[in-house]
Amino acid sequence: MPPQNIHVIVRVRPLNTLEKKRKVKRSCKVVRTGVDESELDLSPNRARQGLVQVELPSDGRRPQVGMRKSGGNFDKSYKQYHPAVAFPPSSTQQEVFQSSNLPSLINHSMNGYRTTFFAYGQTGAGKTFTVLGEDKKPGLLFRAVNYLFKATKLKSEKENMKFTVRLSAIELYNEQCFDLLTTGHARLKPLQVREHNKQGYYVDRLTGIRCINVNQCIHTIKGAVRQRTVGGHQMNARSSRSHLMITLYVDGTYLTGTGASTFGRITIVDLAGSERLKDTKSGNVKESGFINKSLYTLGKVINGISKNGGTLLPGTTRRHNQNIPFRESVLTKLLVQSLGGDNMCAMCACVSPGSHVTGETVRTLGFAMMVNGIMNHPSIHIDEQEKLVTDLKKEIEKLKRENIQLKHMVIEVSQEASLASSKGVGGGNHLGLVSEIDRLVVGGDASVGVGDVDDDVGDGEFFQFDDEDEEVCEEEEEEYDEEFEEEEEDYDEGKEGEEYEEEEEVFEEEEEEEKNNGHYYDVDESSPPVSPKPSESGSPSLFPTASSPMKSNIDTSQRIVQLKAMLTEAKMQLESDGDEIHPHILQLENELEDLQKELQLSAQLAGLGVSLEDSGEDPDGEQQRALEAMIAATMSAAAGGAGVGGNGRDYEVQDSNYTESESDGDEGESEQAHYSEPESLPTSPENPNNVSNTSNTSGRSNPFNWDDSQGETENWRNMWSNSLRILSQDLEEDDAAAKLGVIDQLGGEGARKLFGGKKKATKMTKRKLKKKNRK
Ligand SMILES: Nc1ncnc2c1ncn2[C@@H]1O[C@H](COP(=O)(O)OP(=O)(O)OP(=O)(O)O)[C@@H](O)[C@H]1O
């Protein structure tokens, strides 16, 4: 805010009853009030818009203040003063309040400025009347309180703020400061006026009462005023014998945005009146002396500031403003920042109109004009400690709110994760991965031999079940359920008609067709999932072909390796981000491991299991030789570390059964020992794959070229044959169980995607289930 001079108004009181009775002449009158412009123009030039004229008496014998000597006599003359606003005796309290600049000061106090309004003048000039007023003519203080509460209400509604108003009341009596809001002993104990290097002078341990409304505030002020020291003398029957300072602290807080706080205040001062003992004939000389001394110091301070260019130098420490004696009085210590400092200030000079006090009137108006020339440099005051506490409180509140938000986010994310995991929906990076792997592990990927699924899945993207999908699924599922129930009823009641049988045939044909195309993963236990049936006439194909599930298994194996790499990458990313690794990821890692092993086994079983089953139909031993070659290849792969391993579990083949056993936990060991070999099994490292050039005495192939004189090859083959057959059955059961689980979890749509991507697939699945139940 730019510098601004102290707003000075002059109020001329009416003649009192006694003066009228004595027919006292008027020497002071208001020529021009300047009221109209005062509210609009706050520039320094406007300060002389009111006009007060004082007629100086001339008895021709001795000079009066402001008289000019003319020809040896002192002429009758006038002295004119130009305050901002001048109020004639007829002015009402409300008119004075409106043009006193007090409303403006209050508005500024709500913005964080410190403001002061003080009444100055001779004793009996009407200061107390102006500030406090009378019962039916409340003074500016009470009007200010009323205005303040209304203004804070309006501002808080308009700018979403919250205001707190506190009140303090002191009197400066005999150069001591007393708290008027205390009683008893505390009331009589003077308070210390201390100096703060940044905040200036302040009253230590001063009581501040929070005011919640106008009435309470006014009631409190009246209580304080009643405690003020008053006394009677010849010029005023109820004269104030102390300086009264009422301060309203206005603390505002913005409830939105930055949440900044303001700490403004408005201090209204009713000074004790200057008096001449010979006029007042006051009995308490000491009291009068202190009053006059403080007022005299005030005059010196104003004078010093005027000489200082009309303003205080920044700061109030002893180093500054050496020529301004504000430390000589408690009053000036407390007012110094209002006189050329960083407070905003207004002053009301109260004068009597009577010619019998013209000299005092001239003195008062002269003082007023000097004050009028003082420039203040208003700035918003921030109580560093209060600000720090407020800021910290706000910070804590903000952090608390953020903490609550984060907790909600964690809950939401965890719910989404579990939902995505249960539905197979890709939610985020690693959740999508989890979903993908989940789907693969339970058999939902096209490459497992499931058949044609949605394009997005085929492109390597994740399932995206949205709400719409789910609704469609539910509708279709209901439709199928109804259909299925009808069929079930027909079946139970033995009403299988031609239509049903035809339909059954069509489905079976389609089923057969899909099986041949490798697009159908049968859940029926009687139908092995990955073993191609040998042809009726020729030798079975022991090696993968383009249409064989073996091809799919190889694709799946590659896909698993990719997914494991993605999983490892995701884990590393989570670890580097400091995030917790989803337990599902670890579980899926193990499941991927198992799946990889099972796929390797099933790849071999696809060829070996069938040939062993049909070994009785192989009189030439051709299939057996091929079988042994395959076994040799498997063993070679195992010995060469083909298995990926890493989950600490090894398949241990013992006689005609297999069990899962925990490894010692050494990953290196488990990686190498993907398949643990029977201890008695001889190996042939020299030529493990050389199948065609080796044969034993019985004419059967001996891929390892060992001595078979003890018939060990035969024993070994039988043992492997049994082991693999059992393992094959176990895997089939596991697959079937997994698929049933998926059907339960995903419902019709999931099953359709899983088992063919068509309605008929779901229907077929249900038929298969029905068959299974019947069995
Ligand atoms: N504007 C006014 N209208 C009517 N009466 C007034 C006005 N100003 C002052 N008076 C009356 O004049 C008398 C003295 O006024 P007041 O007590 O306010 O003077 P003062 O300046 O406060 O004196 P002191 O310094 O001794 O306290 C009071 O009776 C008061 O009612």
Side-chain angles (χ1 to χ4, degrees):
M1 180 175 283
Q4 59 179 233
N5 64 308
I6 295 175
H7 183 88
V8 174
I9 62 171
V10 173
R11 185 178 195 184
V12 182
R13 73 162 170 82
L15 291 171
N16 60 31
T17 314
L18 189 63
E19 287 166 341
K20 284 178 183 171
K21 198 175 176 181
R22 291 179 181 173
K23 296 185 179 171
V24 172
K25 287 187 178 176
R26 299 170 188 268
S27 63
C28 179
K29 63 177 181 183
V30 172
V31 179
R32 188 177 67 233
T33 61
V35 167
D36 293 337
E37 299 88 351
S38 64
E39 288 295 309
L40 304 173
D41 185 2
L42 292 176
S43 66
N45 294 332
R46 70 166 288 286
R48 297 182 185 276
Q49 289 168 348
L51 177 59
V52 178
Q53 184 173 283
V54 180
E55 185 182 330
L56 304 174
S58 173
D59 55 11
R61 288 171 297 176
R62 59 189 175 94
Q64 297 288 332
V65 178
M67 279 189 177
R68 289 195 199 120
K69 196 173 182 181
S70 172
N73 288 326
F74 290 93
D75 291 340
K76 186 178 177 181
S77 62
Y78 300 92
K79 195 160 180 66
Q80 293 185 331
Y81 302 90
H82 300 272
V85 186
F87 295 98
S90 59
S91 300
T92 64
Q93 299 280 52
Q94 183 59 22
E95 285 169 353
V96 175
F97 174 73
Q98 279 178 347
S99 302
S100 65
N101 209 34
L102 253 177
S104 173
L105 296 182
I106 294 167
N107 291 337
H108 281 101
S109 72
M110 292 190 298
N111 291 328
Y113 289 93
R114 291 183 181 180
T115 62
T116 304
F117 176 91
F118 68 96
Y120 176 91
Q122 185 193 11
T123 182
K127 300 179 295 295
T128 305
F129 181 85
T130 300
V131 171
L132 300 176
E134 295 171 347
D135 285 344
K136 292 183 179 175
K137 296 175 182 175
L140 270 55
L141 173 60
F142 299 112
R143 292 171 195 274
V145 170
N146 194 38
Y147 182 92
L148 174 66
F149 276 90
K150 281 185 182 170
T152 51
K153 188 169 182 287
L154 276 175
K155 192 174 171 70
S156 54
E157 286 172 358
K158 191 178 171 189
E159 300 181 27
N160 199 11
M161 289 181 75
K162 184 186 174 188
F163 283 100
T164 305
V165 176
R166 287 174 294 129
L167 172 76
S168 72
I170 57 172
E171 74 165 354
L172 305 178
Y173 179 71
N174 290 353
E175 281 296 308
Q176 287 183 310
C177 183
F178 294 93
D179 191 341
L180 294 178
L181 294 179
T182 57
T183 54
H185 180 69
R187 163 70 183 87
L188 300 174
K189 189 180 176 185
L191 302 177
Q192 294 297 314
V193 175
R194 301 186 188 282
E195 185 181 7
H196 187 274
N197 60 351
K198 286 184 179 171
Q199 303 298 317
Y201 289 97
Y202 67 98
V203 181
D204 196 18
R205 298 173 189 273
L206 180 64
T207 303
I209 291 181
R210 169 131 187 238
C211 299
I212 54 172
N213 57 41
V214 179
N215 289 337
Q216 185 225 340
C217 192
I218 288 175
H219 181 76
T220 309
I221 290 171
K222 284 184 174 175
V225 169
R226 275 196 291 273
Q227 299 207 65
R228 186 185 185 189
T229 307
V230 292
H233 53 71
Q234 288 202 356
M235 291 187 72
N236 189 355
R238 191 174 170 77
S239 176
S240 305
R241 311 313 295 161
S242 63
H243 308 298
L244 172 72
M245 300 180 85
I246 304 284
T247 302
L248 295 158
Y249 302 85
V250 188
D251 300 343
T253 304
Y254 288 90
L255 301 177
T256 53
T258 58
S261 293
T262 58
F263 302 99
R265 66 173 75 161
I266 177 157
T267 302
I268 296 177
V269 184
D270 176 22
L271 294 174
S274 58
E275 59 190 48
R276 288 196 297 186
L277 276 175
K278 89 170 175 173
D279 292 335
T280 58
K281 295 187 172 54
S282 172
N284 196 331
V285 179
K286 184 185 171 190
E287 200 178 68
S288 299
F290 275 115
I291 293 171
N292 285 336
K293 179 184 178 266
S294 60
L295 292 173
Y296 176 66
T297 307
L298 179 62
K300 283 204 295 183
V301 167
I302 297 292
N303 194 35
I305 295 170
S306 296
K307 287 180 181 172
N308 217 17
T311 187
L312 280 176
L313 294 174
T316 59
T317 59
R318 294 179 194 285
R319 297 192 308 276
H320 304 97
N321 306 299
Q322 294 289 346
N323 60 329
I324 301 169
F326 54 83
R327 295 180 196 85
E328 292 178 10
S329 165
V330 177
L331 175 68
T332 48
K333 282 179 181 175
L334 295 176
L335 283 182
V336 69
Q337 284 303 322
S338 303
L339 306 169
D342 56 12
N343 291 6
M344 299 177 80
C345 187
M347 169 195 160
C348 178
C350 297
V351 293
S352 170
S355 58
H356 64 297
V357 290
T358 301
E360 286 299 318
T361 302
V362 168
R363 224 186 318 273
T364 300
L365 292 173
F367 175 86
M369 289 305 101
M370 206 152 56
V371 170
N372 195 63
I374 291 174
M375 282 286 194
N376 280 344
H377 303 267
S379 64
I380 294 177
H381 267 260
I382 297 171
D383 183 323
E384 298 292 335
Q385 216 169 358
E386 261 184 293
K387 186 178 181 301
L388 185 66
V389 171
T390 308
D391 288 351
L392 286 174
K393 276 183 185 170
K394 277 178 193 157
E395 187 69 19
I396 289 168
E397 285 304 314
K398 194 178 148 201
L399 289 172
K400 277 182 183 172
R401 282 198 298 273
E402 280 179 5
N403 199 22
I404 289 168
Q405 282 175 351
L406 285 172
K407 278 181 182 171
H408 286 167
M409 280 171 67
V410 167
I411 290 167
E412 278 173 20
V413 167
S414 114
Q415 284 173 346
E416 280 174 15
S418 73
L419 194 67
S421 174
S422 66
K423 279 190 172 183
V425 179
N429 287 336
H430 77 274
L431 290 179
L433 182 63
V434 167
S435 161
E436 167 75 344
I437 294 167
D438 251 355
R439 198 160 49 77
L440 183 64
V441 169
V442 298
D445 192 270
S447 61
V448 184
V450 174
D452 49 329
V453 291
D454 289 354
D455 288 345
D456 55 352
V457 177
D459 291 338
E461 294 176 15
F462 304 139
F463 268 146
Q464 294 291 338
F465 270 141
D466 53 22
D467 292 343
E468 212 173 308
D469 285 339
E470 205 153 3
E471 279 174 22
V472 172
C473 285
E474 282 170 9
E475 281 172 16
E476 289 180 349
E477 188 70 2
E478 280 174 17
E479 192 185 314
Y480 297 149
D481 281 344
E482 283 171 14
E483 204 178 321
F484 181 74
E485 278 169 19
E486 283 172 15
E487 288 171 1
E488 189 84 325
E489 282 170 16
D490 290 347
Y491 183 85
D492 291 342
E493 292 168 12
K495 293 177 184 174
E496 296 168 271
E498 288 180 7
E499 192 182 332
Y500 180 84
E501 283 173 5
E502 280 172 19
E503 201 180 332
E504 187 83 355
E505 281 172 17
V506 171
F507 280 134
E508 278 171 8
E509 278 172 21
E510 286 174 348
E511 183 182 341
E512 194 64 33
E513 189 186 335
E514 298 229 6
K515 276 179 190 172
N516 292 336
N517 291 336
H519 289 168
Y520 177 54
Y521 211 156
D522 201 337
V523 295
D524 192 339
E525 289 174 352
S526 65
S527 182
V530 291
S531 301
K533 288 285 180 188
S535 62
E536 291 294 325
S537 55
S539 300
S541 171
L542 298 181
F543 300 97
T545 63
S547 61
S548 164
M550 289 286 284
K551 169 71 167 62
S552 296
N553 282 354
I554 291 166
D555 292 342
T556 304
S557 183
Q558 288 170 351
R559 183 68 180 139
I560 288 172
V561 172
Q562 285 174 3
L563 289 171
K564 283 179 74 173
M566 288 165 69
L567 206 56
T568 306
E569 198 180 329
K571 273 174 65 182
M572 287 169 66
Q573 184 64 43
L574 287 170
E575 278 170 354
S576 72
D577 291 349
D579 291 339
E580 198 179 333
I581 294 174
H582 199 296
H584 209 71
I585 289 182
L586 300 174
Q587 185 195 338
L588 290 171
E589 210 171 34
N590 287 337
E591 287 177 359
L592 268 180
E593 199 69 41
D594 292 348
L595 184 64
Q596 194 171 38
K597 287 176 181 176
E598 288 170 7
L599 282 167
Q600 285 177 353
L601 276 177
S602 68
Q604 294 153 25
L605 287 168
L608 298 178
V610 174
S611 69
L612 287 168
E613 290 242 346
D614 299 336
S615 59
E617 298 172 10
D618 183 25
D620 301 333
E622 186 183 343
Q623 291 179 25
Q624 288 298 340
R625 283 193 293 278
L627 167 65
E628 285 166 1
M630 190 70 173
I631 291 169
T634 305
M635 296 309 297
S636 171
V644 177
N647 69 344
R649 285 184 295 177
D650 298 330
Y651 286 96
E652 189 176 331
V653 181
Q654 293 174 344
D655 295 336
S656 60
N657 206 348
Y658 86 96
T659 57
E660 272 188 355
S661 65
E662 296 291 325
S663 78
D664 293 334
D666 186 322
E667 289 189 8
E669 277 184 27
S670 65
E671 276 184 19
Q672 287 177 3
H674 186 63
Y675 296 104
S676 61
E677 300 168 10
E679 280 183 10
S680 59
L681 184 68
T683 57
S684 177
E686 294 84 10
N687 187 13
N689 293 320
N690 190 353
V691 178
S692 59
N693 295 334
T694 57
S695 62
N696 62 11
T697 51
S698 63
R700 288 175 175 155
S701 301
N702 182 353
F704 305 112
N705 196 22
W706 63 68
D707 178 11
D708 196 24
S709 56
Q710 304 299 316
E712 286 180 353
T713 304
E714 184 71 20
N715 294 337
W716 179 85
R717 190 181 64 243
N718 290 337
M719 183 184 71
W720 265 98
S721 164
N722 289 333
S723 298
L724 292 173
R725 185 182 296 114
I726 290 164
L727 180 54
S728 172
Q729 286 170 2
D730 286 345
L731 286 172
E732 287 166 20
E733 284 168 9
D734 286 348
D735 286 336
K739 280 175 219 158
L740 289 171
V742 170
I743 291 166
D744 288 339
Q745 273 186 21
L746 301 183
E749 180 67 12
R752 186 160 66 250
K753 288 191 177 186
L754 188 61
F755 299 111
K758 295 173 185 173
K759 284 185 181 179
K760 68 177 181 183
T762 308
K763 215 163 184 178
M764 276 198 290
T765 305
K766 294 207 170 198
R767 285 185 185 285
K768 295 296 172 191
L769 282 170
K770 195 165 67 175
K771 277 185 188 173
K772 185 175 180 245
N773 289 336
R774 275 186 217 142
K775 282 177 188 172

